[in-house]
């Protein structure tokens, strides 16, 4: 028997411990051995240690090089905007990947959707370069912009700076082309608003075209972000890999989630130079914490991605096959997958885990790739 995989396990808070617990159960039901390094983030450490992100957490992620994380609530603490952003930065993450795929049995208006959103997470509007309205920093920036660029900004404005660099753009676009090639996909589409934001999105598009020219085996095109929103709703099957800066990716991944059954069906992976972190593409839903009602599928599918990363392709295919079989059967669907959200027949989180584990034990059909 091979040595167990050492993996950082971060349950998170809100519904995190429930969906991560369900995922841990089905991962172990594949027969793959794990050595879990459990780390806490969010409300618990904030109360106990005064920080929602203890230094031990990114240290564990980097040491183990692989992590599975649940959702975490944005902390109510001044000066700390997001555990997710803080952990990505501290762990050296530069990109986020969210596959959005149709599964039979999942309620949706669409079929045969299989689009992947790839976004940079190191810069752009979510990087935290901000000055609050009325602050000395905001006043100084407004004055500097007037003096340097000759632009007038209204008094009392808050500012959020959008910065896009050539290096970060090249890194994420090259990753998107490599991902497309490794996953057997044939087209990459860059998403931008270059005609309006020439200095930032214009740079991103210029770099994307350069990378595309160096990868002629993969077809390339580009779309303005507003146009692709319409096209995704009209004909999502035309798109394969979408690559973009951070904010557009945050928005479009939720749009794509709506095409395939909602956020409860969207796995995610954060990629970096030192580690890879797998997590669902939804929030912590604190109002559902402890109710055993949350949909664990996004976290389970993140576990499928993690198994593939660990070289456990057979286990990954069997787990995805078990998940697909449970979805297609339609008996163990959580409230968000029902026509009525108050359907009394909705399955519990733990019941979904039981159903997937039983399918694995019975020898579920391998998922079609």
């Amino acid at each position: 028997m091979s040595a167990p995989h050492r993996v950082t396990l971060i349950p998170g808070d809100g519904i995190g411990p429930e969906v991560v617990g369900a995922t841990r159960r089905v991962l172990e039901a594949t027969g793959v051995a794990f050595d879990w390094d459990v780390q806490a983030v969010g409300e618990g450490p904030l109360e106990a240690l005064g920080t929602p992100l203890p230094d031990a957490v990114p240290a564990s992620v980097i040491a183990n090089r692989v992590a599975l994380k649940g959702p975490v609530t944005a902390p109510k603490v001044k000066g700390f905007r997001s555990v997710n952003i803080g952990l990505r930065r501290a762990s050296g993450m530069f990109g986020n990947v969210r596959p959005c795929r149709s599964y039979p049995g999942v309620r949706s208006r669409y079929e045969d959707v299989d689009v992947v959103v790839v976004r940079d997470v190191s810069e752009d509007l979510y990087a935290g370069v901000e000055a609050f309205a009325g602050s000395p920093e905001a006043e100084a920036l407004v004055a500097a912009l007037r003096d340097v660029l000759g632009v007038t900004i209204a008094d009392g404005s808050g500012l959020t700076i959008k910065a896009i660099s050539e290096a970060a753009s090249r890194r994420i676009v090259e990753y998107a082309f490599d991902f497309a090639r490794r996953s057997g996909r044939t087209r990459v589409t860059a998403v931008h608003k270059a005609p309006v934001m020439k200095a930032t999105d214009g740079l991103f598009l210029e770099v994307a075209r350069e990378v595309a020219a160096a990868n002629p085996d993969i077809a390339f095109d580009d779309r303005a972000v507003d146009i692709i929103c319409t096209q995704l709703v009209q004909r999502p099957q035309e798109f394969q890999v979408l690559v973009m800066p951070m904010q557009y990716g945050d928005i479009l991944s939720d749009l794509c989630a709506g095409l395939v059954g909602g956020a409860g069906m969207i796995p995610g992976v954060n990629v970096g130079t030192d580690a890879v972190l797998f997590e669902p593409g939804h929030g912590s839903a604190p109002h559902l914490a402890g109710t055993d009602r949350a949909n664990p599928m996004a976290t389970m599918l993140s576990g499928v991605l993690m198994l593939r990363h660990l070289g456990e392709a057979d286990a990954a295919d069997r787990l995805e096959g078990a998940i697909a079989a449970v979805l297609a059967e339609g008996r163990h669907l959580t409230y968000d997958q029902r026509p009525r959200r108050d359907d009394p027949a909705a399955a519990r989180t733990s019941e979904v885990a039981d159903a997937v584990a039983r399918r694995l034990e019975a020898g579920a059909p391998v998922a079609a790739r």
Side-chain angles (χ1 to χ4, degrees):
M1 183 176 179
S2 59
H5 297 284
R6 177 75 167 168
V7 175
T8 300
L9 187 69
I10 306 171
D13 56 24
I15 61 172
E18 294 161 77
V19 296
V20 168
T23 299
R24 177 174 177 173
R25 171 143 192 251
V26 300
L27 283 169
E28 292 173 349
T30 65
V32 174
F34 294 94
D35 177 12
W36 301 109
D37 180 5
V38 182
Q39 298 288 330
V41 298
E43 296 291 340
L46 180 58
E47 293 179 8
L49 304 173
T51 175
L53 181 59
D55 292 342
V57 181
S60 169
V61 173
I62 292 171
N64 296 324
R65 300 188 64 82
V66 181
L68 176 64
K69 173 185 163 294
V72 58
T73 307
K76 296 178 181 178
V77 54
K78 187 175 181 180
F80 206 107
R81 300 172 60 243
S82 166
V83 170
N84 292 331
I85 292 175
L87 182 56
R88 287 169 186 160
R89 286 181 177 174
S91 304
M93 308 293 176
F94 66 83
N96 177 263
V97 181
R98 287 185 178 171
C100 304
R101 182 183 179 190
S102 299
Y103 286 91
V106 177
R107 188 167 56 93
S108 172
R109 295 181 176 89
Y110 302 90
E111 296 179 352
D112 301 323
V113 177
D114 189 6
V115 60
V116 180
V117 178
V118 178
R119 61 171 169 145
D120 173 79
V121 296
S122 67
E123 51 186 20
D124 195 15
L125 286 170
Y126 293 1
V129 185
E130 296 190 295
F132 290 93
S135 68
E137 295 83 3
E139 292 176 1
L141 280 171
V142 167
L145 289 170
R146 181 186 62 241
D147 295 341
V148 174
L149 297 179
V151 298
T152 300
I153 295 175
D155 292 338
S157 294
L159 292 93
T160 299
I161 305 300
K162 176 185 175 88
I164 299 290
S165 70
E166 178 182 351
S169 298
R170 190 173 303 279
R171 179 173 58 186
I172 196 64
V173 177
E174 287 178 344
Y175 178 86
F177 274 86
D178 289 342
F179 175 88
R181 190 175 292 110
R182 285 185 281 108
S183 60
R185 299 169 191 268
T186 59
R187 179 174 296 275
V188 171
T189 302
V191 179
H192 59 87
K193 193 67 176 175
V196 176
M197 289 177 281
K198 297 179 176 63
T200 51
D201 287 31
L203 174 61
F204 179 84
L205 179 56
E206 178 184 347
V207 170
R209 287 171 173 166
E210 291 176 0
V211 174
N215 293 271
D217 58 312
I218 303 292
F220 172 78
D221 59 3
D222 69 272
R223 296 286 194 282
V225 64
D226 49 342
I227 293 172
I228 202 170
C229 286
T230 299
Q231 294 176 342
L232 281 166
V233 171
Q234 291 177 324
R235 45 186 191 277
Q237 297 85 357
E238 292 185 5
F239 297 99
Q240 296 186 25
V241 177
L242 310 179
V243 62
M244 63 206 75
M246 185 185 291
Q247 187 192 40
Y248 302 149
D250 188 23
I251 296 167
L252 285 189
S253 60
D254 276 13
L255 187 156
C256 292
L259 305 176
V260 298
M265 290 301 302
I266 304 303
V269 52
N270 296 289
V271 296
T273 54
D274 298 315
V276 181
L277 183 148
F278 299 85
E279 63 180 347
H282 58 70
S284 61
H287 64 289
L288 290 178
T291 65
D292 198 28
R293 294 181 62 212
N295 185 351
M297 290 300 189
T299 314
M300 289 183 181
L301 290 168
S302 299
V304 171
L305 298 178
M306 186 180 76
L307 286 170
R308 291 205 172 96
H309 173 76
L310 292 171
E312 301 285 358
D314 175 70
D317 289 343
R318 287 189 290 111
L319 177 54
E320 188 174 10
I323 292 169
V326 168
L327 290 168
E329 184 183 44
R331 290 181 52 217
H332 297 90
L333 302 180
T334 48
Y335 78 97
D336 57 308
Q337 296 176 319
R338 301 279 177 165
R340 289 176 36 243
R341 295 172 77 86
D342 60 349
D343 187 339
R348 299 287 182 179
T349 310
S350 54
E351 292 171 339
V352 176
D354 290 343
V356 173
R358 285 195 299 269
R359 285 282 182 172
L360 282 165
E361 292 162 2
V366 173
R369 299 302 303 159

